[in-house]
Amino acid sequence: MSPLAENSGPDIIAAVIGLGSMGLGMAQSMKRAGLDVVGYDITPAAVDRFIADGGRGVVTPAAAAKDADIVVSVVVNGAQTEAVLFGPEGVAHAMKPGAVFVSSATMDPAVARDLAQRVEALGLHYLDAPISGGAAKAARGELTVMASGSKQAFGTARPGLEAMAAKVYELGDEAGKGAAFKMINQLLAGVHIAAACEAITFAAKQDLDLDKVYEVITASAGNSWMFENRVPHVLAGDYTPLSSIEIFVKDLGIVQDMARFERYPVPLAAAALQMYLAASGAGMGRDDDSSLARVYAKLSGAELPSSTKEPLSL
């Protein structure tokens, strides 16, 4: 925890909209740093979980935001972010002047710019601040934040950022830059997961010892963070969603839209997207993104390890 976060004190109120695996950890991290945190989620059980942890919960986004200095939105995409801001009981008209809206969703940079303009026209600040690191790092306050926005937006959001993140990259003074950086990350992540699943299933097709393949590759030049992180799911036959197939259907779809607008070729991302679409179409959309290995296995007749757990979609 940074000295700034330690000195934030209860006078700073932060609202978290979206208390899923990421948002809950972010809310807990800010509360642990001394901020007064109020949470909202569309699922009442998620709010109850935060209340049981000692946080404050409310029944609408507007109620969460009305006294907050910092409103952190941890939803899936641009459309959900717009609904949080401007939908029924949205936060935009409930926030006090000078408060900052911190948008952590992955979205097209053009959407981030549009939302920022609409928010700033109301006398509020907007920080384009997508995140990376997963639920475990969110719970520890160790996320990476790729942020862009005005100096005022950064200044107002700083106590929350310091509490939630190990690294905060300040990437420009206008919204959209943070979103663009996140999409580069997602292009690489999506392709690397697809490559890891292709490789480990190819190894299975050749009747190799998959545990030994994992040992050798993670000590060799062909390793990647995604191979090291996702292949254990395949080895365990456990596709419980830590990051779902549908996330990359969405994110690589955004990459395609951005690339088409720029007339820029992204053939590797396009090929990976087709595999995520195949997995989703086969009923695995809500399963872990390492389920791509199961698609390769079905196409090739390769045999992958199975789990004693209840089977997921196949």
Side-chain angles (χ1 to χ4, degrees):
M1 185 188 302
S2 73
L4 180 56
E6 289 176 346
N7 295 329
S8 297
D11 292 335
I12 295 176
I13 300 175
V16 177
I17 312 300
L19 294 170
S21 58
M22 297 294 289
L24 178 63
M26 294 160 74
Q28 291 169 332
S29 293
M30 287 192 288
K31 182 177 175 297
R32 197 164 55 244
L35 281 69
D36 181 4
V37 185
V38 57
Y40 166 79
D41 193 277
I42 194 170
T43 304
V47 180
D48 293 342
R49 187 167 63 244
F50 184 54
I51 293 171
D53 248 0
R56 293 196 290 129
V58 292
V59 296
T60 68
K66 68 183 182 70
D67 295 318
D69 305 285
I70 305 166
V71 177
V72 183
S73 176
V74 196
V75 294
V76 172
N77 55 28
Q80 288 188 6
T81 304
E82 183 176 26
V84 166
L85 281 164
F86 301 108
E89 296 292 341
V91 305
H93 294 286
M95 292 170 65
K96 62 186 183 182
V100 61
F101 182 82
V102 180
S103 174
S104 293
T106 302
M107 67 182 74
D108 189 309
V111 174
R113 288 191 291 270
D114 175 67
L115 292 175
Q117 289 174 1
R118 293 163 65 186
V119 167
E120 289 166 355
L122 299 174
L124 306 168
H125 303 301
Y126 184 103
L127 194 67
D128 175 20
I131 54 179
S132 183
K137 287 190 175 182
R140 296 196 299 266
E142 296 176 356
L143 290 171
T144 295
V145 179
M146 303 165 231
S148 63
S150 67
K151 289 182 179 178
Q152 294 89 342
F154 272 108
T156 306
R158 186 72 61 191
L161 296 174
E162 293 282 355
M164 295 184 291
K167 294 181 180 179
V168 178
Y169 289 101
E170 299 188 21
L171 303 171
D173 59 5
E174 61 180 26
K177 292 294 186 186
F181 270 82
K182 179 62 184 292
M183 293 319 306
I184 300 302
N185 181 78
Q186 294 307 91
L187 185 161
L188 289 165
V191 169
H192 289 175
I193 291 166
C197 291
E198 183 174 300
I200 197 65
T201 312
F202 189 38
K205 184 67 176 176
Q206 297 177 79
D207 295 321
L208 300 182
D209 179 332
L210 298 188
D211 290 322
K212 185 60 68 174
V213 170
Y214 181 76
E215 178 184 345
V216 170
I217 296 303
T218 54
S220 303
N223 190 34
S224 69
W225 191 92
M226 286 300 185
F227 185 95
E228 194 161 342
N229 183 266
R230 296 308 204 266
V231 168
H233 304 181
V234 180
L235 300 182
D238 183 359
Y239 300 94
T240 302
L242 301 179
S243 174
S244 74
I245 288 288
E246 291 296 346
I247 287 175
F248 283 100
V249 170
K250 170 182 68 75
D251 290 355
L252 291 182
I254 294 172
V255 169
Q256 296 300 306
D257 291 341
M258 293 169 63
R260 182 168 57 250
F261 180 80
E262 297 286 352
R263 298 297 187 267
Y264 182 83
V266 283
L268 298 183
L273 175 59
Q274 294 305 308
M275 294 304 297
Y276 291 103
L277 288 169
S280 179
M284 304 178 199
R286 295 184 180 275
D287 296 346
D288 192 73
D289 51 34
S290 59
S291 290
L292 288 193
R294 293 192 289 169
V295 177
Y296 279 108
K298 279 289 186 181
L299 292 172
S300 66
E303 290 191 13
L304 294 173
S306 59
S307 171
T308 56
K309 294 187 175 185
E310 286 293 316
L312 298 175
S313 307
L314 191 60

